[in-house]
Amino acid sequence: MRKYLSLLSLAVFFSLEAHADVPFDTCPSQAFLFQSSPSKLYGVNLATGGYSELAATTGLNTHINAVGFNDTDRYIYGFDYDNVNVIRIGKNYAGEQLSVSGLPEGQRFISGDVHDNVYYLHQRALGLFKIDLSPLLTDSSSILIAEAIESNLGTLRASDVAINPIDGKLYAVDNPSYDLYQVDLSTGNAEVVTNMSTDIGVPSGGFGAIYFDVNGNLYLSRNTDGKIFRVDLSDEDEIASGDVAIEHFADGPASAQNDGARCANAPIVDEDSTIDFGDAPDSYLTLLASNGPRHEINTGYYLGAIAPDSEGDGFISPLDDNKAGFADEDGVGFVTTLEAGNTAIVSVQASTTGYLSAWIDWNQDGDFEDLNEKIISDNLLSAGTNALSIAVPVDAVIGSTWSRFRFAETSGLNFYGGATTGEVEDHPITVMEDGSSLRYYPSSSGYATVAYEDNWPKEGDYDMNDVVIRFRVTETLDENDKITRVLIQGYLAAYGAGYHNGFAFRLGGLSRTDINAATTLTHNAVVQEHNGLELDANEAIFIVSDDLKQKLPSGCMYYRTAQHCHEAISFEFEIDVYFDESVDTRSLMSMPYDPFVFATPGAYVRDGLWYNPGRGLEIHLADQEPTEKFDTYWYGWWSDSSDPGSDRYFKTSSNHPWALLITDEWSWPREHVDLVDAYAEFAGYAESAGNNNVNWYLLEKATTDKTFAPED
């Protein structure tokens, strides 16, 4: 939908004497757009194309052009087109006239920018001029001197110019040809970088407002349709060869009689972001640098029951939006399985009437670019729940892949690029063979929490946060209900241990030889060289990591257990297990199998132990028998009351375990806070062998300020 900026019927004028302007407080990330005559001022979000009015007037009652932001004194400089004079504007948007000598008398300039405290002006018939703004730093009434710059620009028809903060050179687009020019401001030499017609189409209007960001990206806002294009001008070699990336970036306001200014040293998205991004790996174009999908929030358009929160960029492994913020990825649910050759039903909840488009990577090549991968195109949803059909190609590759759903007020969205309204949700999915089914633990989208106290066989400080893992399990069953695949996905949620600990899963009931070589282990979306299967064990044991401490970000001793340590999620894993066809998987123990921690081999001796037990020291869930690698010597030492003869393991005499499994996203105790102090009802639960206080772990039952409260 084409958008135009409308004029207000009533303008407010300011007295320059009564309202002396002041500089901006910071280097703003928004772009400034001056439009119409007399000029009014808008703020443009270049990432999405959204805009809002900042000032109905600058108080000068004139048409302003050739604007540029000066990061040195944080004023906007421009040219008063009606009164033929240079002006400057501060954060109150009240313009003031400046005294300048040396400019051609009576001549008007339509394009300009500021760099290193120098204001540059361009006019097709006159060429380039520069004005040193330094005198204004000490005396705002100084008379500025303009100097001509000899150049070979000729009759370049540019509606605006912008200076790259990386190379300090001026760039402009010739409107009739779409040639992109680079100008060396020290010599005046101008060269064509590239012709942009191949990338953005034949010339169809000028670019009245162009801007740079701190990374050397040039943003071109086309007058006729408001389309914003991004040109990567960060690499000198690519510029010299003319091999620069040019792409449609967002849809902004169409306008006329306009000009743009921006602080080129600011990022496009700052810490006050109001944008929702995607979560898929960046091969699907997710991050801002890749022109990933993004939507302005707080517009009333979103998926699910929870409106999206804001992000500074896309979240890719080991993060996703639900781990880093509110669990707002709740708008899309797969009602039926995705079986190759069949039709699947997807439930999509919309906040209001709007358009939905979606993509699935059927061939698992890491993109949404193939011919049949756009599965929904501009489907008009109604407010509430919408049931949609998806035809799964018969040749869809079996296994895990990604989907992307975008909802907005307007149609025509691609799987990348900015939008002024709506939300994007990226979901991992599984394509199955016809007749297959899935079974989950704890659910298809939720995580269970397993937490360990690693002082076994001592009870220790019993804060139950030495290792905290969140995970889910998905089993694939064939038409005969035989398990053909096991997918374990999880991440390290907290690590309060001083010791080095490894983490593993045992698939009890199966042996190492039952596992097919197609099995993979993935860390942070990267497939590891070895699939984690423990080679010197007879049982099917998968070592996720033999030292979780090495997976922590630097600079925080109590990772997500002390309130001052709100580090981002840093380690995510996935075990994708396949079995040989002859294997009878009915012997496999029930989900969640046997998650356990063990002492990292060769790290150091633990307190009270006179040797390094390494792999021989395991900590399992209560009453779970350890693996064949366990050193049984330690049964019954210190606080342990294990009795293999009665199937009693890893509990104290009061039935307090060294490991907990909670089928929800549990809030664990803070560092050095005893579990019983954090959750008073836990003692009764443990001492009754789980018969009483079964909901002891709920957040509303926690003692105030005793559990860790993530803020990331």
Tab-separated table of all heavy atoms in Angstrom, residues 506-552:
chain	number	residue	atom	x	y	z
A	506	ARG	N	21.145	-41.122	28.816
A	506	ARG	CA	21.177	-42.559	28.550
A	506	ARG	C	19.818	-42.981	28.022
A	506	ARG	O	18.785	-42.667	28.626
A	506	ARG	CB	21.503	-43.350	29.814
A	506	ARG	CG	21.357	-44.867	29.604
A	506	ARG	CD	21.809	-45.669	30.779
A	506	ARG	NE	21.116	-45.310	32.011
A	506	ARG	CZ	21.293	-45.955	33.154
A	506	ARG	NH1	22.154	-46.955	33.231
A	506	ARG	NH2	20.646	-45.565	34.240
A	507	LEU	N	19.792	-43.676	26.901
A	507	LEU	CA	18.577	-44.242	26.354
A	507	LEU	C	18.488	-45.672	26.871
A	507	LEU	O	18.899	-46.641	26.218
A	507	LEU	CB	18.570	-44.200	24.826
A	507	LEU	CG	18.023	-42.908	24.192
A	507	LEU	CD1	18.791	-41.686	24.650
A	507	LEU	CD2	18.042	-43.001	22.667
A	508	GLY	N	18.011	-45.780	28.123
A	508	GLY	CA	17.970	-47.066	28.799
A	508	GLY	C	17.166	-48.095	28.026
A	508	GLY	O	16.115	-47.804	27.453
A	509	GLY	N	17.654	-49.335	28.023
A	509	GLY	CA	16.999	-50.426	27.307
A	509	GLY	C	17.589	-50.687	25.947
A	509	GLY	O	17.270	-51.705	25.310
A	510	LEU	N	18.432	-49.765	25.455
A	510	LEU	CA	19.090	-49.936	24.166
A	510	LEU	C	20.594	-50.002	24.358
A	510	LEU	O	21.134	-49.522	25.355
A	510	LEU	CB	18.737	-48.784	23.225
A	510	LEU	CG	17.260	-48.613	22.858
A	510	LEU	CD1	17.093	-47.435	21.919
A	510	LEU	CD2	16.692	-49.890	22.227
A	511	SER	N	21.264	-50.568	23.390
A	511	SER	CA	22.713	-50.666	23.432
A	511	SER	C	23.339	-49.737	22.411
A	511	SER	O	22.654	-49.219	21.505
A	511	SER	CB	23.161	-52.113	23.161
A	511	SER	OG	22.884	-52.467	21.811
A	512	ARG	N	24.629	-49.532	22.561
A	512	ARG	CA	25.352	-48.650	21.639
A	512	ARG	C	25.227	-49.134	20.194
A	512	ARG	O	25.110	-48.337	19.263
A	512	ARG	CB	26.818	-48.585	22.050
A	512	ARG	CG	27.709	-47.799	21.086
A	512	ARG	CD	29.119	-47.642	21.633
A	512	ARG	NE	29.698	-48.913	22.014
A	512	ARG	CZ	30.275	-49.768	21.147
A	512	ARG	NH1	30.314	-49.470	19.868
A	512	ARG	NH2	30.797	-50.900	21.578
A	513	THR	N	25.193	-50.434	19.975
A	513	THR	CA	25.151	-50.985	18.610
A	513	THR	C	23.785	-50.837	17.960
A	513	THR	O	23.636	-51.090	16.762
A	513	THR	CB	25.558	-52.462	18.625
A	513	THR	OG1	24.690	-53.179	19.528
A	513	THR	CG2	27.015	-52.613	19.075
A	514	ASP	N	22.774	-50.432	18.736
A	514	ASP	CA	21.441	-50.207	18.156
A	514	ASP	C	21.330	-48.866	17.434
A	514	ASP	O	20.344	-48.622	16.730
A	514	ASP	CB	20.376	-50.237	19.262
A	514	ASP	CG	20.217	-51.613	19.886
A	514	ASP	OD1	20.494	-52.610	19.198
A	514	ASP	OD2	19.818	-51.677	21.073
A	515	ILE	N	22.312	-48.002	17.634
A	515	ILE	CA	22.227	-46.636	17.108
A	515	ILE	C	22.786	-46.575	15.692
A	515	ILE	O	23.905	-47.041	15.413
A	515	ILE	CB	22.998	-45.663	18.025
A	515	ILE	CG1	22.514	-45.799	19.470
A	515	ILE	CG2	22.841	-44.240	17.525
A	515	ILE	CD1	21.038	-45.572	19.687
A	516	ASN	N	22.005	-45.970	14.782
A	516	ASN	CA	22.413	-45.830	13.384
A	516	ASN	C	23.412	-44.694	13.218
A	516	ASN	O	23.353	-43.682	13.934
A	516	ASN	CB	21.176	-45.582	12.510
A	516	ASN	CG	21.483	-45.646	11.030
A	516	ASN	OD1	22.007	-44.706	10.458
A	516	ASN	ND2	21.151	-46.779	10.419
A	517	ALA	N	24.317	-44.856	12.266
A	517	ALA	CA	25.367	-43.852	12.043
A	517	ALA	C	24.818	-42.517	11.568
A	517	ALA	O	25.535	-41.507	11.575
A	517	ALA	CB	26.381	-44.384	11.034
A	518	ALA	N	23.540	-42.456	11.160
A	518	ALA	CA	22.945	-41.187	10.721
A	518	ALA	C	22.676	-40.249	11.889
A	518	ALA	O	22.363	-39.069	11.692
A	518	ALA	CB	21.642	-41.447	9.974
A	519	THR	N	22.828	-40.730	13.117
A	519	THR	CA	22.597	-39.922	14.309
A	519	THR	C	23.570	-38.747	14.367
A	519	THR	O	24.751	-38.901	14.053
A	519	THR	CB	22.758	-40.805	15.563
A	519	THR	OG1	21.754	-41.823	15.544
A	519	THR	CG2	22.630	-39.988	16.836
A	520	THR	N	23.077	-37.588	14.803
A	520	THR	CA	23.919	-36.386	14.863
A	520	THR	C	23.775	-35.688	16.209
A	520	THR	O	22.752	-35.809	16.885
A	520	THR	CB	23.554	-35.385	13.758
A	520	THR	OG1	22.165	-35.008	13.897
A	520	THR	CG2	23.790	-35.966	12.378
A	521	LEU	N	24.825	-34.960	16.580
A	521	LEU	CA	24.828	-34.077	17.743
A	521	LEU	C	25.107	-32.670	17.251
A	521	LEU	O	26.069	-32.452	16.496
A	521	LEU	CB	25.894	-34.515	18.748
A	521	LEU	CG	26.148	-33.565	19.933
A	521	LEU	CD1	24.927	-33.485	20.836
A	521	LEU	CD2	27.378	-33.999	20.728
A	522	THR	N	24.282	-31.726	17.679
A	522	THR	CA	24.424	-30.341	17.237
A	522	THR	C	24.630	-29.433	18.444
A	522	THR	O	23.922	-29.558	19.445
A	522	THR	CB	23.164	-29.896	16.459
A	522	THR	OG1	23.004	-30.720	15.307
A	522	THR	CG2	23.288	-28.451	16.006
A	523	HIS	N	25.601	-28.537	18.349
A	523	HIS	CA	25.824	-27.491	19.354
A	523	HIS	C	25.586	-26.140	18.702
A	523	HIS	O	26.232	-25.819	17.696
A	523	HIS	CB	27.251	-27.544	19.898
A	523	HIS	CG	27.532	-28.700	20.798
A	523	HIS	ND1	28.780	-28.957	21.311
A	523	HIS	CD2	26.716	-29.674	21.300
A	523	HIS	CE1	28.735	-30.039	22.073
A	523	HIS	NE2	27.494	-30.490	22.072
A	524	ASN	N	24.666	-25.374	19.223
A	524	ASN	CA	24.394	-24.026	18.698
A	524	ASN	C	24.227	-24.033	17.184
A	524	ASN	O	24.815	-23.237	16.457
A	524	ASN	CB	25.492	-23.058	19.113
A	524	ASN	CG	25.513	-22.798	20.594
A	524	ASN	OD1	24.610	-23.186	21.313
A	524	ASN	ND2	26.557	-22.148	21.077
A	525	ALA	N	23.421	-24.993	16.715
A	525	ALA	CA	23.051	-25.138	15.299
A	525	ALA	C	24.201	-25.605	14.420
A	525	ALA	O	24.069	-25.603	13.191
A	525	ALA	CB	22.465	-23.839	14.740
A	526	VAL	N	25.311	-26.036	15.002
A	526	VAL	CA	26.444	-26.549	14.232
A	526	VAL	C	26.578	-28.041	14.501
A	526	VAL	O	26.757	-28.467	15.657
A	526	VAL	CB	27.756	-25.829	14.608
A	526	VAL	CG1	28.930	-26.425	13.843
A	526	VAL	CG2	27.634	-24.334	14.340
A	527	VAL	N	26.498	-28.867	13.450
A	527	VAL	CA	26.627	-30.310	13.599
A	527	VAL	C	28.060	-30.647	13.997
A	527	VAL	O	29.015	-30.209	13.367
A	527	VAL	CB	26.250	-31.035	12.297
A	527	VAL	CG1	26.450	-32.541	12.446
A	527	VAL	CG2	24.800	-30.737	11.918
A	528	GLN	N	28.193	-31.429	15.079
A	528	GLN	CA	29.508	-31.772	15.593
A	528	GLN	C	30.117	-32.941	14.810
A	528	GLN	O	29.415	-33.726	14.172
A	528	GLN	CB	29.410	-32.136	17.070
A	528	GLN	CG	28.836	-31.022	17.937
A	528	GLN	CD	29.669	-29.764	17.875
A	528	GLN	OE1	30.780	-29.701	18.392
A	528	GLN	NE2	29.114	-28.730	17.231
A	529	GLU	N	31.441	-33.021	14.874
A	529	GLU	CA	32.146	-34.070	14.141
A	529	GLU	C	31.761	-35.457	14.643
A	529	GLU	O	31.672	-36.405	13.861
A	529	GLU	CB	33.651	-33.855	14.289
A	529	GLU	CG	34.496	-34.772	13.439
A	529	GLU	CD	35.963	-34.422	13.511
A	529	GLU	OE1	36.293	-33.277	13.881
A	529	GLU	OE2	36.796	-35.290	13.189
A	530	HIS	N	31.522	-35.564	15.952
A	530	HIS	CA	31.100	-36.843	16.534
A	530	HIS	C	29.696	-36.702	17.092
A	530	HIS	O	29.323	-35.649	17.611
A	530	HIS	CB	32.071	-37.266	17.646
A	530	HIS	CG	31.787	-38.627	18.209
A	530	HIS	ND1	31.117	-38.802	19.403
A	530	HIS	CD2	32.045	-39.874	17.735
A	530	HIS	CE1	30.993	-40.099	19.643
A	530	HIS	NE2	31.547	-40.769	18.649
A	531	ASN	N	28.888	-37.756	16.981
A	531	ASN	CA	27.479	-37.658	17.388
A	531	ASN	C	27.246	-37.803	18.883
A	531	ASN	O	26.090	-37.801	19.329
A	531	ASN	CB	26.631	-38.675	16.625
A	531	ASN	CG	27.017	-40.120	16.922
A	531	ASN	OD1	27.694	-40.406	17.905
A	531	ASN	ND2	26.588	-41.035	16.066
A	532	GLY	N	28.292	-37.903	19.681
A	532	GLY	CA	28.160	-37.931	21.128
A	532	GLY	C	28.000	-39.311	21.726
A	532	GLY	O	28.058	-39.459	22.954
A	533	LEU	N	27.788	-40.344	20.923
A	533	LEU	CA	27.600	-41.697	21.444
A	533	LEU	C	28.881	-42.170	22.131
A	533	LEU	O	29.962	-42.156	21.533
A	533	LEU	CB	27.228	-42.646	20.306
A	533	LEU	CG	26.846	-44.077	20.697
A	533	LEU	CD1	25.579	-44.086	21.548
A	533	LEU	CD2	26.639	-44.928	19.440
A	534	GLU	N	28.755	-42.578	23.395
A	534	GLU	CA	29.926	-42.967	24.175
A	534	GLU	C	30.458	-44.302	23.654
A	534	GLU	O	29.795	-45.347	23.787
A	534	GLU	CB	29.566	-43.055	25.655
A	534	GLU	CG	30.760	-43.081	26.567
A	534	GLU	CD	30.396	-42.802	28.017
A	534	GLU	OE1	29.302	-43.228	28.454
A	534	GLU	OE2	31.200	-42.150	28.719
A	535	LEU	N	31.651	-44.292	23.115
A	535	LEU	CA	32.168	-45.435	22.380
A	535	LEU	C	32.696	-46.549	23.272
A	535	LEU	O	32.791	-47.696	22.833
A	535	LEU	CB	33.270	-44.973	21.419
A	535	LEU	CG	32.825	-43.970	20.351
A	535	LEU	CD1	33.997	-43.564	19.468
A	535	LEU	CD2	31.696	-44.540	19.506
A	536	ASP	N	33.052	-46.231	24.511
A	536	ASP	CA	33.583	-47.260	25.395
A	536	ASP	C	32.542	-47.752	26.395
A	536	ASP	O	32.872	-48.266	27.457
A	536	ASP	CB	34.831	-46.775	26.126
A	536	ASP	CG	34.571	-45.534	26.980
A	536	ASP	OD1	33.484	-44.948	26.839
A	536	ASP	OD2	35.450	-45.172	27.786
A	537	ALA	N	31.278	-47.592	26.051
A	537	ALA	CA	30.183	-48.091	26.881
A	537	ALA	C	29.334	-49.045	26.049
A	537	ALA	O	29.221	-48.906	24.827
A	537	ALA	CB	29.327	-46.941	27.402
A	538	ASN	N	28.735	-50.025	26.711
A	538	ASN	CA	27.826	-50.927	26.016
A	538	ASN	C	26.436	-50.322	25.874
A	538	ASN	O	25.721	-50.597	24.920
A	538	ASN	CB	27.735	-52.267	26.768
A	538	ASN	CG	29.055	-53.008	26.770
A	538	ASN	OD1	29.710	-53.142	25.738
A	538	ASN	ND2	29.465	-53.490	27.944
A	539	GLU	N	26.035	-49.488	26.829
A	539	GLU	CA	24.728	-48.859	26.789
A	539	GLU	C	24.712	-47.711	25.762
A	539	GLU	O	25.762	-47.228	25.343
A	539	GLU	CB	24.380	-48.310	28.177
A	539	GLU	CG	24.283	-49.370	29.253
A	539	GLU	CD	24.075	-48.757	30.621
A	539	GLU	OE1	25.023	-48.194	31.189
A	539	GLU	OE2	22.938	-48.842	31.117
A	540	ALA	N	23.498	-47.304	25.386
A	540	ALA	CA	23.334	-46.168	24.466
A	540	ALA	C	23.366	-44.886	25.286
A	540	ALA	O	22.342	-44.423	25.801
A	540	ALA	CB	22.029	-46.288	23.696
A	541	ILE	N	24.567	-44.321	25.451
A	541	ILE	CA	24.781	-43.117	26.242
A	541	ILE	C	25.304	-42.025	25.330
A	541	ILE	O	26.292	-42.238	24.605
A	541	ILE	CB	25.776	-43.369	27.387
A	541	ILE	CG1	25.257	-44.464	28.323
A	541	ILE	CG2	26.036	-42.083	28.165
A	541	ILE	CD1	26.273	-44.929	29.343
A	542	PHE	N	24.659	-40.854	25.364
A	542	PHE	CA	25.070	-39.728	24.535
A	542	PHE	C	25.636	-38.624	25.427
A	542	PHE	O	24.939	-38.112	26.303
A	542	PHE	CB	23.900	-39.191	23.718
A	542	PHE	CG	23.477	-40.113	22.615
A	542	PHE	CD1	22.495	-41.081	22.839
A	542	PHE	CD2	24.079	-40.044	21.375
A	542	PHE	CE1	22.119	-41.942	21.835
A	542	PHE	CE2	23.708	-40.906	20.351
A	542	PHE	CZ	22.730	-41.868	20.581
A	543	ILE	N	26.895	-38.292	25.208
A	543	ILE	CA	27.540	-37.214	25.941
A	543	ILE	C	27.236	-35.905	25.224
A	543	ILE	O	27.747	-35.648	24.129
A	543	ILE	CB	29.066	-37.420	26.037
A	543	ILE	CG1	29.379	-38.799	26.628
A	543	ILE	CG2	29.692	-36.310	26.858
A	543	ILE	CD1	28.891	-38.999	28.037
A	544	VAL	N	26.389	-35.096	25.825
A	544	VAL	CA	26.073	-33.784	25.244
A	544	VAL	C	27.303	-32.888	25.304
A	544	VAL	O	27.697	-32.246	24.328
A	544	VAL	CB	24.886	-33.142	25.976
A	544	VAL	CG1	24.656	-31.715	25.474
A	544	VAL	CG2	23.635	-33.967	25.790
A	545	SER	N	27.936	-32.830	26.468
A	545	SER	CA	29.187	-32.096	26.657
A	545	SER	C	29.903	-32.714	27.846
A	545	SER	O	29.272	-33.025	28.858
A	545	SER	CB	28.918	-30.613	26.919
A	545	SER	OG	30.100	-29.952	27.335
A	546	ASP	N	31.226	-32.891	27.744
A	546	ASP	CA	31.965	-33.431	28.884
A	546	ASP	C	32.438	-32.332	29.829
A	546	ASP	O	33.019	-32.624	30.874
A	546	ASP	CB	33.136	-34.303	28.422
A	546	ASP	CG	34.136	-33.552	27.564
A	546	ASP	OD1	34.037	-32.317	27.460
A	546	ASP	OD2	35.010	-34.207	26.985
A	547	ASP	N	32.171	-31.064	29.481
A	547	ASP	CA	32.533	-29.961	30.379
A	547	ASP	C	31.656	-28.753	30.069
A	547	ASP	O	31.988	-27.911	29.236
A	547	ASP	CB	34.005	-29.602	30.230
A	547	ASP	CG	34.495	-28.647	31.328
A	547	ASP	OD1	33.669	-28.215	32.147
A	547	ASP	OD2	35.699	-28.348	31.351
A	548	LEU	N	30.531	-28.652	30.756
A	548	LEU	CA	29.611	-27.539	30.532
A	548	LEU	C	30.217	-26.199	30.925
A	548	LEU	O	29.821	-25.153	30.396
A	548	LEU	CB	28.321	-27.756	31.319
A	548	LEU	CG	27.410	-28.889	30.853
A	548	LEU	CD1	26.264	-29.071	31.832
A	548	LEU	CD2	26.877	-28.629	29.449
A	549	LYS	N	31.180	-26.224	31.843
A	549	LYS	CA	31.794	-24.969	32.289
A	549	LYS	C	32.480	-24.252	31.135
A	549	LYS	O	32.597	-23.015	31.135
A	549	LYS	CB	32.778	-25.246	33.423
A	549	LYS	CG	32.989	-24.068	34.380
A	549	LYS	CD	33.800	-24.503	35.582
A	549	LYS	CE	33.949	-23.370	36.594
A	549	LYS	NZ	32.692	-23.014	37.263
A	550	GLN	N	32.936	-25.023	30.139
A	550	GLN	CA	33.571	-24.415	28.975
A	550	GLN	C	32.565	-23.767	28.028
A	550	GLN	O	32.953	-23.074	27.082
A	550	GLN	CB	34.378	-25.480	28.213
A	550	GLN	CG	35.478	-26.137	29.036
A	550	GLN	CD	36.497	-25.137	29.540
A	550	GLN	OE1	36.878	-24.207	28.820
A	550	GLN	NE2	36.931	-25.298	30.785
A	551	LYS	N	31.286	-23.985	28.270
A	551	LYS	CA	30.240	-23.427	27.411
A	551	LYS	C	29.702	-22.095	27.931
A	551	LYS	O	28.822	-21.502	27.310
A	551	LYS	CB	29.069	-24.413	27.290
A	551	LYS	CG	29.459	-25.797	26.788
A	551	LYS	CD	30.067	-25.748	25.403
A	551	LYS	CE	30.370	-27.147	24.892
A	551	LYS	NZ	31.001	-27.107	23.547
A	552	LEU	N	30.238	-21.638	29.067
A	552	LEU	CA	29.710	-20.420	29.670
A	552	LEU	C	30.351	-19.177	29.055
A	552	LEU	O	31.521	-19.201	28.669
A	552	LEU	CB	29.976	-20.424	31.174
A	552	LEU	CG	29.478	-21.628	31.969
A	552	LEU	CD1	29.808	-21.458	33.437
A	552	LEU	CD2	27.979	-21.814	31.770
